[in-house]
Amino acid sequence: MSVELSRGEEIGLGAVDDGGPSVIRMGLGWRALRRPRGFLGRMFDSRPDIDLDASAVLFAGERAQDVVYFKKLTSDDGSVSHTGDSTIGGAGQEDDESIEVDLGRVPPEIDQIVFTVSSFTGQRFTRVRDAFCRVVDAATGTELARFTLAGGGASTAQIMAKVRREGAGWRMTALGAPASGRTFQDLLPAIRPHL
């Protein structure tokens, strides 16, 4: 049974050795607002549909050790992988981009993985509807938790969620913090207060 999280809420994922999921998938979905048709639509915004990019930044303490995003699809140790870039979004119900984390293979020095989404085209989240992130047990396809981004906002990025070690297990926190930036590098200063 999936849990709907609000900003700041957490859910325990358990330990792999105690029956918790061994591989999780963080899915991201969104729907771009439709532009008006015709001449007014072209005047309103001639840019393409919004291109959101999911990233996962692996931290050891407060130090970013590695990253997975559309230009680097697998972490150096192979424990985190990006399934590929979507440049248009979907219907707001399915995952448009996803990142898989093999919790048992994450190196012991990595204590947190932060998931972000940014508008590579620089458009603001006022152009986005039905944005969400969700964590799924990759082995069974069971959705464990979902965080729906309420409202759009003038930001160009969101620090969506993080998973962090908790003893022998892992815990997910819904963050939903607005930020500015087109890439994960731009977002590092905004991520640090959430570590």
Side-chain angles (χ1 to χ4, degrees):
M1 172 183 267
S2 179
V3 175
E4 179 73 34
L5 297 176
S6 298
R7 185 178 292 166
E9 290 186 326
E10 300 183 342
I11 182 173
L13 300 177
V16 174
D17 293 342
D18 289 335
S22 60
V23 179
I24 60 168
R25 184 176 72 245
M26 183 67 74
L28 166 70
W30 75 90
R31 183 164 49 132
L33 286 176
R34 293 188 184 271
R35 294 184 294 244
R37 294 177 187 246
F39 177 74
L40 287 177
R42 287 188 298 277
M43 293 271 305
F44 173 69
D45 192 345
S46 62
R47 293 174 291 186
D49 288 333
I50 192 166
D51 176 13
L52 298 184
D53 293 317
S55 302
V57 186
L58 290 70
F59 284 89
E62 292 189 16
R63 187 170 170 213
Q65 294 286 95
D66 201 355
V67 66
V68 171
Y69 68 117
F70 71 95
K71 288 188 176 181
K72 183 177 185 259
L73 296 178
T74 305
S75 62
D76 293 339
D77 56 58
S79 66
V80 182
S81 60
H82 195 300
T83 58
D85 189 21
S86 169
T87 60
I88 58 170
Q93 297 173 355
E94 69 280 345
D95 296 342
D96 296 307
E97 291 191 14
S98 59
I99 296 173
E100 288 194 352
V101 181
D102 186 337
L103 297 172
R105 290 182 59 198
V106 175
E109 67 271 14
I110 301 298
D111 56 0
Q112 296 186 75
I113 302 171
V114 178
F115 299 90
T116 67
V117 57
S118 55
S119 171
F120 187 73
T121 48
Q123 294 159 314
R124 298 176 189 265
F125 272 70
T126 51
R127 296 268 329 273
V128 177
R129 290 179 58 194
D130 304 323
F132 68 87
C133 71
R134 67 188 191 124
V135 63
V136 174
D137 182 333
T140 65
T142 303
E143 181 177 288
L144 304 173
R146 175 179 289 258
F147 173 52
T148 302
L149 180 64
S155 62
T156 57
Q158 291 279 328
I159 302 161
M160 292 295 286
K162 70 177 179 178
V163 291
R164 63 177 165 80
R165 289 189 192 272
E166 183 181 63
W170 292 86
R171 193 161 192 80
M172 177 192 166
T173 304
L175 297 171
S180 294
R182 293 180 24 191
T183 65
F184 75 90
Q185 294 101 326
D186 298 338
L187 301 179
L188 288 175
I191 291 172
R192 295 201 191 285
H194 300 282
L195 298 177

